[in-house]
Amino acid sequence: MLSHRYLPKVLLLAGLLLSLCIFAASGEQLHEAHLPALDNTPPLVKQTIEKAYENLVSGKQSADDWGEYGKILYANRLRSEAIPALQNARSLDPENHVWPYLLAYITLLDSSDKTIAYIEAAYKLKPSSLDVCYLLAETYASVGELDRAISAIQKAYELAPDNLYTNYYYAQLLMTDRQYAASKKYMLKAAQLAPTSSRIRARLLQIAKYTDIDQSLIPSASQATDEGDIVYPSSIKAETLSRSRLPANMHEIARMYMRNHKWRKAEHLYSLLKQHYNLTVEGKSNYAMVLTILRRYDEAEKIFNELIQEYPDITVYRLGLANLQFITRKPDAGANYQWVLDHAGKDNLKSRALHGLGIIAAGEGNLSRGRDLLQQAVKINSSSAEMRIDLIRVYADLKQFDQAFQQLAEAEKLGMHIPAGFRNRLERARQTGKK
């Protein structure tokens, strides 16, 4: 029997062996998984990975435990180290399509044979997953199997016929296969879904060289000003990357949360960035916007004022401050909206300044001025349904109901759902006005 004075040393040795190399406790033989060298990683990344490894060591080492560890490694750019952990998750949970999907995503640029095997396995498990079908198409295209890629993206399109990315990539693959007439339908649909994309406009102009396209359906150069790439937003990848604690990834994920109106998640990332890294100028502006939406007005106003002091000529910071002051009913809001209107070079900033000034004027009882300003805002930014709703309210207050219902119809064309109660109140006001 061991002496009690040797027991701590034995336990320490056992813990060390377990932390160096973990094997399956069950009959399933798993891959080795080590804690990677983290000497050159940021402290927050190191802390996150070490905590995940500690949870794995001390836990039951289930598929979820291995999967979580693999996701954290991949999210923090330790791709090769993530593979054995995800393979273990797959071994323990062979019916879950997420594990072969992530393995396919990680190996996409390195190993075509393994990637194809992984993504085909994921497709077999869940053919109804848009993420899986899209990556299946990308995988086949990457190895030159164009017919199989087109077949896979067709499956993705059938799952989501109104999706920008499936339409755009379907058209791209058909163009690569020189099926220009067939590609036209999908690229035109993509143009409807993203009318400001310069990339889609360029593709339509290219298609038009080989098949007839109504020129009125091709966005103009002045309209298609967005030069951003069109990259499919995989929900599985996004969920995995949410574990990243690298600053560039955190900024991108926070922006994604903002686009999806997940404000508290965005705030959490920006607060971590502020605590552990230096927030970029864009990050500060976004953080202030998020704080405004979460009604942490004093913190937001402090950031906006700091940005304006450092960059006095940047109109978007002044617009953010104006919006905040409008919400908190501070009298300086009007002056700041006017400053933006006087200094803005872009139409979207001018329209937002006019929008703010119009609401303020109407709220002060100057309905005619409010209407005129909102009309200008809508004329500049004809794609904004929200601005039209505010214009409807002013028209109703002025008892100009024909114009109000005209704007209501335009807002619906832009995809805005008009609550039945709002429409009924507007109709009752019109009937009362006729008496």
Side-chain angles (χ1 to χ4, degrees):
M1 184 174 179
L2 287 173
S3 169
H4 287 295
R5 63 192 180 92
Y6 291 115
L7 188 58
K9 294 182 180 180
V10 172
L11 292 175
L12 179 62
L13 179 59
L16 179 61
L17 289 173
L18 185 59
S19 67
L20 288 175
C21 179
I22 305 171
F23 294 93
S26 66
E28 182 78 35
Q29 183 66 46
L30 303 186
H31 296 273
E32 298 180 11
H34 301 273
L35 182 66
L38 302 172
D39 295 339
N40 297 320
T41 57
L44 183 59
V45 173
K46 182 179 180 182
Q47 173 187 330
T48 302
I49 294 173
E50 287 178 341
K51 182 177 179 181
Y53 189 77
E54 180 184 341
N55 290 340
L56 181 66
V57 171
S58 60
K60 58 185 178 181
Q61 295 174 34
S62 65
D64 288 340
D65 292 334
W66 281 106
E68 181 66 16
Y69 185 52
K71 287 178 178 181
I72 286 174
L73 290 172
Y74 169 62
N76 290 285
R77 297 183 186 173
L78 293 167
R79 294 169 62 247
S80 60
E81 291 86 349
I83 290 174
L86 292 171
Q87 287 173 330
N88 288 348
R90 186 187 180 198
S91 295
L92 293 168
D93 185 14
E95 299 302 314
N96 190 335
H97 72 286
V98 170
W99 312 130
Y101 175 90
L102 286 173
L103 287 164
Y105 205 101
I106 292 172
T107 61
L108 182 60
L109 299 177
D110 303 326
S111 177
S112 58
D113 291 339
K114 285 185 178 180
T115 303
I116 290 173
Y118 284 137
I119 194 59
E120 287 181 343
Y123 178 75
K124 185 177 181 180
L125 289 169
K126 192 157 187 181
S128 62
S129 167
L130 183 60
D131 284 354
V132 170
C133 290
Y134 198 97
L135 184 57
L136 184 65
E138 288 185 309
T139 302
Y140 286 143
S142 71
V143 295
E145 295 194 28
L146 197 54
D147 289 344
R148 298 177 79 182
I150 291 172
S151 177
I153 199 62
Q154 183 178 357
K155 294 184 177 83
Y157 172 79
E158 290 168 358
L159 290 169
D162 295 323
N163 181 282
L164 165 64
Y165 307 94
T166 57
N167 278 277
Y168 179 73
Y169 195 44
Y170 200 171
Q172 285 275 79
L173 290 175
L174 290 169
M175 288 177 67
T176 303
D177 201 38
R178 300 184 180 181
Q179 298 185 47
Y180 298 107
S183 72
K184 177 174 69 172
K185 168 186 173 182
Y186 305 104
M187 197 61 79
L188 284 172
K189 183 62 177 289
Q192 292 177 0
L193 295 167
T196 62
S197 171
S198 63
R199 292 177 183 269
I200 293 176
R201 178 176 185 273
R203 300 296 182 271
L204 284 171
L205 292 174
Q206 185 179 354
I207 293 171
K209 295 178 181 178
Y210 301 95
T211 188
D212 291 334
I213 295 182
D214 185 344
Q215 293 296 308
S216 67
L217 299 177
I218 301 177
S220 65
S222 60
Q223 183 183 14
T225 56
D226 184 356
E227 298 180 357
D229 202 356
I230 301 174
V231 180
Y232 174 74
S234 163
S235 60
I236 296 175
K237 180 187 175 187
E239 193 274 337
T240 300
L241 289 182
S242 67
R243 295 157 175 77
S244 179
R245 291 301 176 256
L246 294 164
N249 288 351
M250 291 172 72
H251 276 288
E252 181 56 37
I253 298 163
R255 286 192 292 267
M256 179 194 71
Y257 284 148
M258 290 177 68
R259 289 193 296 270
N260 295 328
H261 297 174
K262 296 180 179 179
W263 305 112
R264 295 197 181 280
K265 288 187 175 182
E267 190 280 329
H268 176 65
L269 286 184
Y270 281 125
S271 65
L272 285 176
L273 283 163
K274 182 180 179 183
Q275 180 181 354
H276 296 278
Y277 303 101
N278 291 322
L279 268 176
T280 63
V281 174
E282 180 192 0
K284 289 180 181 179
S285 177
N286 288 342
Y287 190 26
M289 189 184 307
V290 170
L291 290 171
T292 300
I293 291 169
L294 294 177
R295 301 182 181 182
R296 290 163 58 179
Y297 299 129
D298 291 342
E299 296 172 72
E301 186 167 2
K302 180 180 178 181
I303 294 174
F304 277 129
N305 280 321
E306 289 173 355
L307 287 168
I308 290 170
Q309 185 174 2
E310 190 172 357
Y311 305 97
D313 298 328
I314 304 298
T315 52
V316 70
Y317 305 148
R318 188 85 60 163
L319 179 64
L321 179 61
N323 289 334
L324 173 59
Q325 291 173 333
F326 173 77
I327 293 170
T328 55
R329 300 183 179 183
K330 291 189 176 180
D332 289 341
N336 280 313
Y337 279 131
Q338 187 63 52
W339 189 97
V340 173
L341 182 62
D342 294 340
H343 294 82
K346 295 182 179 180
D347 283 347
N348 69 314
L349 293 177
K350 290 181 180 179
S351 69
R352 290 163 70 183
L354 286 164
H355 183 207
L357 289 169
I359 297 174
I360 289 173
E364 292 174 345
N366 194 341
L367 295 176
S368 296
R369 175 168 169 75
R371 176 200 59 198
D372 294 344
L373 289 166
L374 287 168
Q375 284 176 335
Q376 293 179 58
V378 167
K379 184 177 180 180
I380 294 174
N381 190 356
S382 59
S383 63
S384 172
E386 290 78 8
M387 290 182 185
R388 292 179 187 275
I389 294 299
D390 286 320
L391 181 55
I392 289 168
R393 293 189 175 99
V394 175
Y395 276 137
D397 288 339
L398 288 167
K399 302 188 184 305
Q400 297 176 354
F401 295 106
D402 289 344
Q403 295 92 325
F405 276 95
Q406 181 182 354
Q407 291 300 323
L408 192 71
E410 293 297 325
E412 287 182 313
K413 287 180 184 178
L414 291 168
M416 173 168 276
H417 170 69
I418 305 298
F422 182 87
R423 185 188 298 274
N424 292 337
R425 286 194 299 273
L426 189 60
E427 182 60 44
R428 285 198 300 270
R430 176 163 63 176
Q431 295 304 322
T432 302
K434 287 181 178 180
K435 296 179 181 180

